[in-house]
Amino acid sequence: MTKQELFENIKKKQSFLCVGLDTDLKKIPEHLLDEEDPIYAFNKAIIDATAPYCVAYKPNTAFYESIGIKGIWALEKTIEYIRTKYPDQFIILDAKRGDIGNTSEMYAKSAFEHLKATAITVAPYMGEDSVSPFLNYPKKWVILLALTSNKGSQDFQLLEDSKGERLFEKVLKKSQQWGTDEQLMYVVGATQGSMFADIRKHAPNHFLLVPGVGAQGGSLEEVVKYGMNKECGLLVNSSRAIIYADKSESFASAATKEAKNIQSEMAKYLQDII
């Protein structure tokens, strides 16, 4: 998917919502546990319930890998279901990979050739040769960790050098030598608030994947105020607030309601650019 195709879909749906599929067997409705594949059954229902209101899905691989081969199968089926039934959706494999070159080549092959995801999250701290294998796939995307939403982000990402430049700023500046805004995005946590203005100083045209809205307390208003650009430039993720909005047999309807509410709010912010 190209950057323009993503933007066109955002305009069409008046939404820049990404639904995180962080599916936990301990949290899904109990009646689904009788299904042959409870995780896939849950994901399929959530996808059908939310697809009109979002432009992306983000399965986090840890939730699937943690239960072994059945979880991997569920992940494969989930991505295939999105690809075939909702081909306009941007599919992010949230795996946070990053290793030496030949290992990254295998990670990239898994994400883009086997699973056929649109994008993958990558940690940048082993440098260019750990990221470049992911950038060798046309119309596929690398989403680099830049400034995350967790408390520990302060441990390293905000450290300043003698000139006052912070580590996340070095990541933004250096990584733009590896790829363009047609293939490279950045993860910036919604809880960073006005820090989005600093991000935009260094990456004015890139899309940002923004986790942390909803259950983690991030403000959509602040994200838009400081982070939106003329092409929207945002994919705002919500996971728990949508997929676990209800744990009864009405869980899919509750997910629809929550996703629709977020989309309605996003539509207001998009009026100036669509």
Side-chain angles (χ1 to χ4, degrees):
M1 182 180 293
T2 66
K3 185 180 180 183
Q4 185 60 36
E5 288 169 341
L6 176 58
F7 184 41
E8 291 299 324
N9 204 28
I10 287 171
K11 292 191 290 184
K12 181 178 71 174
K13 292 189 173 182
Q14 297 187 53
S15 173
F16 45 98
L17 173 63
C18 173
V19 175
L21 298 174
D22 301 351
T23 308
D24 186 342
L25 278 174
K26 296 179 181 179
K27 295 181 179 179
I28 68 175
E30 288 187 7
H31 73 278
L32 291 176
L33 298 177
D34 294 330
E35 296 280 344
E36 181 180 354
D37 189 338
I39 291 178
Y40 177 62
F42 176 79
N43 285 354
K44 185 172 178 291
I46 292 291
I47 292 162
D48 289 338
T50 59
Y53 310 107
C54 67
V55 295
Y57 288 100
K58 183 176 71 66
N60 187 312
T61 58
F63 288 84
Y64 302 87
E65 293 168 352
S66 66
I67 60 171
I69 191 64
K70 289 184 178 180
I72 300 299
W73 286 339
L75 175 62
E76 291 180 355
K77 288 190 291 183
T78 295
I79 292 176
E80 179 64 18
Y81 184 72
I82 299 169
R83 287 183 61 252
T84 55
K85 189 164 184 182
Y86 303 104
D88 63 341
Q89 293 288 344
F90 193 90
I91 305 172
I92 301 167
L93 191 69
D94 191 0
K96 299 178 180 69
R97 304 301 192 199
D99 208 328
I100 59 174
N102 62 335
T103 306
S104 282
E105 287 177 9
M106 295 299 104
Y107 280 139
K109 184 174 183 179
S110 172
F112 297 142
E113 295 184 34
H114 178 64
L115 291 171
K116 295 182 172 62
T118 318
I120 184 171
T121 56
V122 176
Y125 294 105
M126 287 187 69
E128 181 179 6
D129 60 325
S130 70
V131 176
S132 58
F134 298 97
L135 291 166
N136 289 331
Y137 288 81
K139 294 189 178 182
K140 301 294 186 178
W141 290 81
V142 171
I143 309 180
L144 283 186
L145 302 180
L147 187 57
T148 56
S149 58
N150 61 305
K151 182 180 178 181
S153 64
Q154 300 178 41
D155 292 345
F156 301 112
Q157 296 167 30
L158 297 179
L159 291 179
E160 297 183 7
D161 64 14
S162 59
K163 297 179 181 179
E165 187 173 63
R166 291 161 293 187
L167 182 56
F168 79 86
E169 293 174 306
K170 292 180 182 292
V171 169
L172 291 171
K173 291 167 66 175
K174 185 66 176 180
S175 62
Q176 288 179 55
Q177 299 174 18
W178 308 339
T180 71
D181 58 19
E182 294 287 338
Q183 201 179 12
L184 194 63
M185 298 187 188
Y186 296 102
V187 175
V188 182
T191 54
Q192 298 296 345
S194 61
M195 293 285 284
F196 276 82
D198 293 333
I199 295 286
R200 283 304 186 202
K201 289 177 185 177
H202 300 289
N205 300 317
H206 289 72
F207 262 85
L208 308 177
L209 172 62
V210 185
V213 168
Q216 294 184 51
S219 166
L220 180 60
E221 182 179 4
E222 280 201 330
V223 169
V224 170
K225 179 180 179 180
Y226 296 108
M228 183 173 281
N229 62 22
K230 63 183 180 180
E231 295 174 300
C232 181
L234 298 170
L235 290 175
V236 172
N237 183 78
S238 181
S239 300
R240 287 169 284 175
I242 293 176
I243 69 175
Y244 300 132
D246 186 287
K247 294 186 179 181
S248 72
E249 294 188 6
S250 301
F251 74 98
S253 297
T256 295
K257 182 179 179 180
E258 186 65 28
K260 187 174 182 180
N261 286 342
I262 296 173
Q263 181 272 331
S264 295
E265 187 177 358
M266 289 179 168
K268 298 174 186 176
Y269 295 121
L270 286 167
Q271 292 309 304
D272 291 339
I273 62 172
I274 62 175

